[in-house]
Amino acid sequence: GGGTTVRHDQIVKQVADMLHMAGFPAMPQSHPQGSDRLVPDIDVADFPALGRSAYVEVSVICNTQERLVHRASNEPLYAAKIREKEKADKYAALCLQDAHVLFAAVFESCGSMGPGLLNLISTCANKSDAWLFAESAPLRNGLRHLLQVLAPAPRRLLLAGLLPDGPQNLSRA
């Protein structure tokens, strides 16, 4: 529905903003109506390293879908991992053709972030200028806003040390 598209577009914007603030040139892509061309959500130059390029494909998946619910109830992040594989398969030829790697940034609607999204955030945090990332209030605030769009409880990243302020300051975000 329309709400799903709005949420997806908000996440795409926040991920692109996070990449920009971390120093990576990210260009959100438009999706032409009626076009057959596969277009990932974001094209990022010099990511994950200088001289490399990546596509970022954002996806929100409901882990209670009939095809997923049985395994998803027993295996953490099952729905996110399945969606990441679907996106990797979908964009494999394009990535090969354009010499890009794919980051599937999948968010489960229950609040969990898939391994690809956590890897994307971690890559920004571990950039060679990591001190700049830690000292960057706009980037820190951008990350907090992204996490608020993504999930109501981003404490997992705070506890993992990906946000420098620690959980005591989350309520001010």
Side-chain angles (χ1 to χ4, degrees):
T4 303
T5 302
V6 169
R7 184 174 189 187
H8 171 270
D9 292 348
Q10 287 176 334
I11 295 169
V12 169
K13 182 184 178 329
Q14 291 302 315
V15 169
D17 288 350
M18 176 188 67
L19 287 161
H20 274 290
M21 287 185 267
F24 298 108
M27 300 209 17
Q29 305 296 301
S30 61
H31 294 93
Q33 288 280 326
S35 172
D36 290 4
R37 174 153 161 65
L38 290 176
V39 181
D41 293 312
I42 305 169
D43 189 354
V44 191
D46 294 326
F47 188 81
L50 194 60
R52 305 270 324 261
S53 293
Y55 288 128
V56 177
E57 178 62 15
V58 171
S59 183
V60 178
I61 188 166
C62 178
N63 58 344
T64 60
Q65 289 180 16
E66 188 174 340
R67 70 185 180 107
L68 302 171
V69 70
H70 179 68
R71 289 278 305 269
S73 65
N74 295 311
E75 185 179 329
L77 298 174
Y78 178 76
K81 291 172 188 173
I82 290 296
R83 180 57 60 89
E84 285 181 5
K85 181 174 179 347
E86 291 169 352
K87 294 296 184 177
D89 293 346
K90 178 178 180 178
Y91 290 106
L94 180 66
C95 287
L96 185 62
Q97 170 192 312
D98 295 349
H100 279 52
V101 294
L102 180 72
F103 280 79
V106 179
F107 169 68
E108 290 185 354
S109 59
C110 65
S112 297
M113 289 177 261
L117 180 55
L118 291 173
N119 187 20
L120 180 77
I121 293 169
S122 179
T123 301
C124 286
N126 293 324
K127 186 180 173 196
S128 60
D129 304 28
W131 64 271
L132 205 102
F133 178 90
E135 296 299 317
S136 171
L139 179 55
R140 205 167 44 243
N141 292 337
L143 244 181
R144 279 199 189 96
H145 190 262
L146 169 67
L147 295 172
Q148 287 170 348
V149 169
L150 290 175
R155 286 172 177 72
R156 186 173 347 153
L157 283 178
L158 289 167
L159 296 174
L162 293 177
L163 289 178
D165 282 10
Q168 68 277 9
N169 293 325
L170 182 62
S171 60
R172 290 188 272 144

